[in-house]
Amino acid sequence: MSANNAFHIAVLAGDGIGPEVMAPALEVLRKVGEKSGLGFRFTEAPAGATNYLATGKSMPDSTIKLCEEADAILLGACGLPSVRYPDNTEIAPQIELRFIFDLYAGVRPARLIPGVPSPIVGADQRGIDLVVIRESTEGLFASMGKGVVTHEDARETMVITRRTSERLFEFSFRLAERRKARGKPGMLTCVDKANVFKAFAFFRGIFDEIEKKHPDVKTDRLYVDACSAMLVKRPWDFDVMVMENMFGDIVSDITASLIGGLGMAPSADIGDKYAVFQPCHGTAPDIMGQGKANPTGMILSAAMMLDWLADRHGVESAAEAGETIERAVDKIYAGGIKPMEFGGSNGTADITKAVLAAL
């Protein structure tokens, strides 16, 4: 924390609906801060496709320096489908930040909130409450910008290292232990394709090694194809799942779809020192400026940030504030709020107003 006893938060609103969902999250943080005695200092900075069009860079050096100095980083959504690098890849500072700050643990919770529809039969009675942990700096994404393309073929290289895998698994086991202490199953599933690729057999072998240090955590191992099939049949059987980068990219979208869609899904990218918090959704330029964006994922990402800040700085009131935000969100959906993304009439302003009132 900074000297004035306020958490300094770097705010990167981004592109498209990014600024539209960021504003409600900051309002919620200010209000919960007033109630819990927490102080916040928000510093906004440019990042994304709009900045690239203006300057030729996804982020200025000043944005990276701000992120380095801040207590945490809040990110809206970045990138636009029509704006590309010369190699035709999208502008993605959210991915670049993972590499810059070694944010190896991508945390993607999927919790079905009361009143939110799920496509899974029985989910309203059984509930869905799981966490996907996606390794965020290696795997197939380690090849980003390094692939080789010729007239005849294209090749990308997957990278899995012992150092990152060990840290990833330690993080995952600790999360399973914390969830068990809070009354959750405390089970950790390693998801891979170890029956086909040596790299995934290596990945699973390291998981087996780390497991020995955490005897109180129940474990399982699943191939990613079998895991995906099970998720859309019995998602309530899962608690914490850990996997390689590309698998996590795909599976986390599946789990978000089970709890109402990407607009409902928060996330965090966490390293040993730094962390970025952002909703799982993209910039949705098709609804930009229309007041239709669902800010719930962004608001819940802010709640995740508070929990991380509490753990990092030993400020218990921050964790309580995060729980207060989650309860407020639960209350408004149980009370009938229905975003436009799943057939309702409530837009950004309605949802924001309801959460603030519930606080």
Side-chain angles (χ1 to χ4, degrees):
M1 293 179 66
S2 49
N4 62 0
N5 204 34
F7 288 115
H8 182 201
I9 310 301
V11 177
L12 282 56
D15 305 302
I17 64 169
E20 297 174 37
V21 298
M22 180 64 77
L26 298 185
E27 282 189 72
V28 167
L29 284 170
R30 289 187 183 100
K31 182 155 188 178
V32 81
E34 292 170 2
K35 286 183 163 294
S36 58
L38 295 172
F40 296 104
R41 181 162 58 94
F42 301 115
T43 304
E44 298 187 13
T50 304
N51 192 74
Y52 177 77
L53 285 175
T55 67
K57 297 180 70 174
S58 66
M59 293 179 286
D61 293 340
S62 58
T63 294
I64 297 171
K65 188 173 188 300
L66 168 66
C67 292
E68 185 176 8
E69 294 173 348
D71 291 305
I73 304 157
L74 273 181
L75 182 65
C78 292
L80 294 170
S82 60
V83 182
R84 306 269 176 157
Y85 286 119
D87 66 359
N88 204 39
T89 57
E90 286 192 33
I91 313 304
Q94 65 272 31
I95 298 176
E96 295 167 24
L97 287 168
R98 296 169 195 164
F99 291 105
I100 293 169
F101 294 112
D102 195 20
L103 309 178
Y104 56 85
V107 183
R108 309 289 188 266
R111 182 175 66 89
L112 184 62
I113 292 171
V116 175
S118 171
I120 306 302
V121 175
D124 52 344
Q125 286 87 36
R126 301 293 298 270
I128 300 172
D129 188 349
L130 58 87
V131 182
V132 172
I133 301 180
R134 164 193 179 184
E135 195 288 312
S136 292
T137 61
E138 297 183 345
L140 193 55
F141 277 75
S143 193
M144 190 178 74
K146 302 173 185 175
V148 177
V149 179
T150 70
H151 183 268
E152 301 300 328
D153 63 21
R155 297 172 184 266
E156 304 278 3
T157 302
M158 181 169 67
V159 177
I160 292 177
T161 69
R162 171 171 291 277
R163 177 176 180 269
T164 294
S165 298
E166 287 177 344
R167 291 187 296 162
L168 177 74
F169 293 140
E170 284 287 358
F171 180 97
S172 303
F173 274 102
R174 290 196 301 271
L175 178 59
E177 289 166 346
R178 289 200 301 274
R179 282 174 64 84
K180 186 175 182 179
R182 295 176 180 178
K184 309 295 183 184
M187 183 178 76
L188 178 61
T189 303
C190 180
V191 180
D192 56 47
K193 198 65 178 169
N195 58 330
V196 176
F197 297 100
K198 291 181 179 179
F200 285 117
F202 176 72
F203 187 75
R204 182 181 288 201
I206 297 171
F207 179 85
D208 294 343
E209 293 172 16
I210 302 300
E211 177 190 26
K212 296 173 184 176
K213 301 179 183 178
H214 301 270
D216 293 334
V217 176
K218 184 181 178 182
T219 61
D220 197 6
R221 293 143 184 83
L222 285 174
Y223 301 135
V224 67
D225 45 348
C227 173
S228 299
M230 292 171 66
L231 270 173
V232 296
K233 287 185 176 182
R234 298 178 58 85
W236 44 81
D237 286 346
F238 291 91
D239 187 26
V240 183
M241 310 155 67
V242 60
M243 61 200 72
E244 176 270 340
N245 207 335
M246 179 59 81
F247 287 169
D249 189 21
I250 297 166
V251 171
S252 62
D253 271 21
I254 294 175
T255 56
S257 73
L258 306 183
I259 60 163
L262 290 172
M264 300 297 299
S267 78
D269 289 303
I270 298 174
D272 292 334
K273 184 178 179 182
Y274 302 97
V276 173
F277 300 86
Q278 66 179 109
C280 286
H281 63 71
T283 56
D286 57 320
I287 61 169
M288 178 176 61
Q290 300 173 39
K292 296 179 178 179
N294 181 1
T296 305
M298 185 77 246
I299 290 169
L300 291 175
S301 297
M304 288 181 70
M305 179 188 73
L306 290 174
D307 188 65
W308 180 79
L309 286 168
D311 183 60
R312 180 162 180 80
H313 295 280
V315 181
E316 185 58 33
S317 58
E320 293 169 358
E323 292 173 0
T324 298
I325 292 173
E326 290 184 355
R327 287 194 298 270
V329 170
D330 286 4
K331 182 178 179 180
I332 70 164
Y333 279 96
I337 280 286
K338 194 173 184 182
M340 295 180 183
E341 68 181 308
F342 42 87
S345 60
N346 298 121
T348 313
D350 289 343
I351 298 168
T352 305
K353 183 179 179 181
V355 172
L356 290 170
L359 287 173

